[in-house]
Structures are given as C-alpha cells and as structure tokens.
Amino acid sequence: RYSVLVTACDDDQFNFNYDVTMYAGFIPEIPGLNPRHYKGLVEYKKNAPLKKVAEPKSLVWAEDLDLSAFSGQKELPVDRHIDLTLGGSPFSNGQVLDIINNITYIEPKIPTLYSALSLGELAFNESLYGPQTHAVVLNHMEYIEVTLRNPNTLPHPIHLHGHVFQVVSSGPEEIIAPAGVSEVDVPRPSKSIKSYTGRVPVSRDTVVVPPGRYIKIRFRADNPGAWLLHCHMDIHMGMGMVMTFVEAPDVLQKTQRIPQQMKEFCHKLNIATEGNGAGKHAFDLSGLPKPPKMANSPPK
C-alpha cells in the first residue's frame, strides 16, 4: 500500500487521464485479475480539453526497505522483542489451518476489547482471553520489535491494526518443505540481509513477508486497545493466521467506555459484554471451543 503526493496544476486549462496498473508478484498472471488496470479522469474543468502526457519509457521498481518515511522518523529504540513464525499445518480435525507460533486463531465468546475493559487487574493475564485468541499484552508506551518469520513457500502480507510500524530489517529464513514436496523443488530465497540502522526506515501498516525471509518491524505501544495482527490474504486470515495485541489494558480501563447501545446490540445476539474470553468470571474458561491439535506433519 502506497500513498502518493501529486502536485496539481495551477490552472484549469486542461484535464488529464490517469492509468494505473497494479501487479501482484506472488500469483500468476491472469487476464482481468493480475495485473489489474484502473483508468479515469483528473478533471480541473468540465469539458476542458484533454492534454496528452508522454508515458515513461521505463519503470524503476523500488523495494520497501529502500524507501524512507516522509515523516523523517528515525529507527525506534527497542524495549521488548516478540518473535512470530508464520505457517500452516494439518490438524487433528482433518483441516489444514494457518498458524502463528503453532496457534490457529479461534474467536473468543466475547470481544477481546470487552474483556480488556472489564477484567480489572486480571486484564494483564494473557491466558484469560482464551488460548486460541493468541493474546499478547503490551505495556503502555513501550517500544516493540516484532520479528515475522516465514519459513514457507508462500508470501504473507501481514497487517497490524491500530498502528503504523517501521520496517527496520529483513533477512533469510530457512524454508521448510511442505509434505510431499522434494527438497530439490523448494525455492531458495535471497540470503541478503537489509538493515537501516541509523537511517529513516519506511513506515507501513502492512508488510509482505516473502517466502524464506524474515522481516523486523517496530512500533510504540501508544494506542491502548485490542489490535489484531493477521495475514491480509482473506483465505489465510480465515484459516487462522491471526493474533491479538492487548495494549495497555490499565490505561484503556481509565479512558474508554463501550457505548450502551453497543452493549444492548451484543445482548440481543446473546454475546456477553463483560468477563474473560468465555464471557465468564476470572479463570473460568468453560464454554470456549475446544482447540484442535496439530497433526504430526510438517508445515505446509
């Protein structure tokens, strides 16, 4: 995802056509789907003549790590490291599900935000949000570095809610061959390591973690709430490549309230608005779906 600044003309003498081509490098070329073409009109004045602009003869492709943030924010310090490995695996229920650190996400009985607001001091106990919620509690204003590891043959665009993060480095990660695939057929990713120590790193809310690579991101926990981190490919998110950052629940409890109409809406749907991930008190997690167990097979 990119933001583009365009300097507009200082008169309305002409209108201009625009033509955008978007190409996804991780899926095959499919007419009408990849690449996609978008055309339209930049209109300064109705019925003004169109001015033709020469198309560039060549394009220069830029890697995210080669860019710098417009804000000029230098590399953040680090108070805490979090290591996350992306993947997928067959499970005991016969399904192939996606995982982060061997956990496949299953929604709790109560929205995680409601739990963070209602558990009091117990809101810092990660287990009370439910084992499949994969909750990690962050302290207010601490600097977080997350290493996203992808030992798989597919790329994963990882999106974080509630924050813009810095992409500070990337490097090689050994690919694990999927079941039934010969080691000879496993792609060999670049061994290059990119780092931006002392420079202005690029800022994103989504970053593609290529096959056989790791990406390090940094952000400051300055936005109390319950924020998902997940693969932005819908099929992978639906298969469980999701986790939750519960950020500064103590500050959250002092500064935010759920509107009464939202609580009433939840009650009509038989969704609790207080308690742990099961909608119960304290450590009673009865009623949560029983999580499936990983089968003894290599990740996909």
Side-chain angles (χ1 to χ4, degrees):
R1 184 184 308 174
Y2 294 88
S3 297
V4 179
L5 295 177
V6 178
T7 302
C9 297
D10 56 7
D11 62 63
D12 59 4
Q13 185 178 359
F14 297 101
N15 295 330
F16 300 85
N17 285 325
Y18 68 81
D19 188 344
V20 178
T21 299
M22 300 181 68
Y23 176 75
F26 54 86
I27 58 176
E29 291 192 26
I30 303 172
L33 179 62
N34 183 39
R36 292 190 178 187
H37 302 279
Y38 299 89
K39 296 183 178 182
L41 179 69
V42 179
E43 186 177 70
Y44 285 89
K45 183 179 179 181
K46 190 172 182 179
N47 298 324
L50 285 172
K51 185 173 183 178
K52 292 186 177 180
V53 179
E55 295 186 7
K57 295 181 179 180
S58 63
L59 296 174
V60 177
W61 296 96
E63 295 288 342
D64 267 8
L65 285 180
D66 295 330
L67 304 177
S68 294
F70 183 74
S71 67
Q73 174 68 58
K74 290 190 176 181
E75 188 176 352
L76 295 173
V78 179
D79 296 321
R80 180 180 178 187
H81 298 267
I82 297 172
D83 205 291
L84 302 176
T85 300
L86 315 173
S89 174
F91 276 74
S92 57
N93 59 5
Q95 294 180 298
V96 175
L97 300 172
D98 283 335
I99 52 179
I100 299 178
N101 285 5
N102 292 339
I103 299 174
T104 187
Y105 180 86
I106 299 176
E107 289 184 356
K109 292 287 187 179
I110 170 176
T112 300
L113 178 63
Y114 290 6
S115 293
L117 284 168
S118 63
L119 283 172
E121 293 183 359
L122 290 177
F124 281 92
N125 188 321
E126 296 172 350
S127 67
L128 296 185
Y129 297 97
Q132 300 309 119
T133 305
H134 196 172
V136 174
V137 176
L138 306 179
N139 295 315
H140 189 45
M141 300 304 285
E142 67 179 341
Y143 291 100
I144 307 297
E145 180 177 84
V146 180
T147 301
L148 300 164
R149 303 184 184 277
N150 185 11
N152 310 287
T153 56
L154 294 175
H156 291 292
I158 299 300
H159 174 56
L160 175 61
H161 291 216
H163 288 279
V164 172
F165 53 75
Q166 296 180 334
V167 183
V168 296
S169 67
S170 72
E173 185 77 17
E174 183 179 357
I175 289 183
I176 301 174
V181 175
S182 168
E183 290 285 349
V184 177
D185 297 325
V186 173
R188 299 303 170 194
S190 167
K191 297 295 184 181
S192 66
I193 296 177
K194 292 187 176 183
S195 177
Y196 279 84
T197 301
R199 293 185 56 188
V200 176
V202 69
S203 295
R204 290 282 180 264
D205 63 15
T206 305
V207 63
V208 175
V209 188
R213 300 285 292 177
Y214 70 78
I215 296 282
K216 289 183 182 288
I217 64 173
R218 292 182 188 175
F219 63 95
R220 195 174 195 189
D222 57 3
N223 190 17
W227 307 116
L228 294 182
L229 181 141
H230 63 89
C231 182
H232 223 300
M233 295 179 69
D234 288 348
I235 187 170
H236 293 166
M237 182 178 180
M239 292 171 65
M241 192 174 286
V242 186
M243 63 165 294
T244 312
F245 285 122
V246 179
E247 185 173 330
D250 51 344
V251 178
L252 188 67
Q253 292 167 13
K254 296 175 183 177
T255 58
Q256 295 192 33
R257 295 290 180 271
I258 301 298
Q260 184 59 34
Q261 63 185 25
M262 287 297 298
K263 292 184 177 182
E264 292 173 358
F265 182 74
C266 288
H267 293 156
K268 289 179 180 179
L269 297 175
N270 294 319
I271 298 174
T273 56
E274 293 183 352
N276 58 31
K280 306 289 181 62
H281 294 293
F283 297 92
D284 180 7
L285 292 173
S286 60
L288 282 177
K290 187 176 181 180
K293 294 183 179 180
M294 290 178 61
N296 294 323
S297 300
K300 71 178 182 184

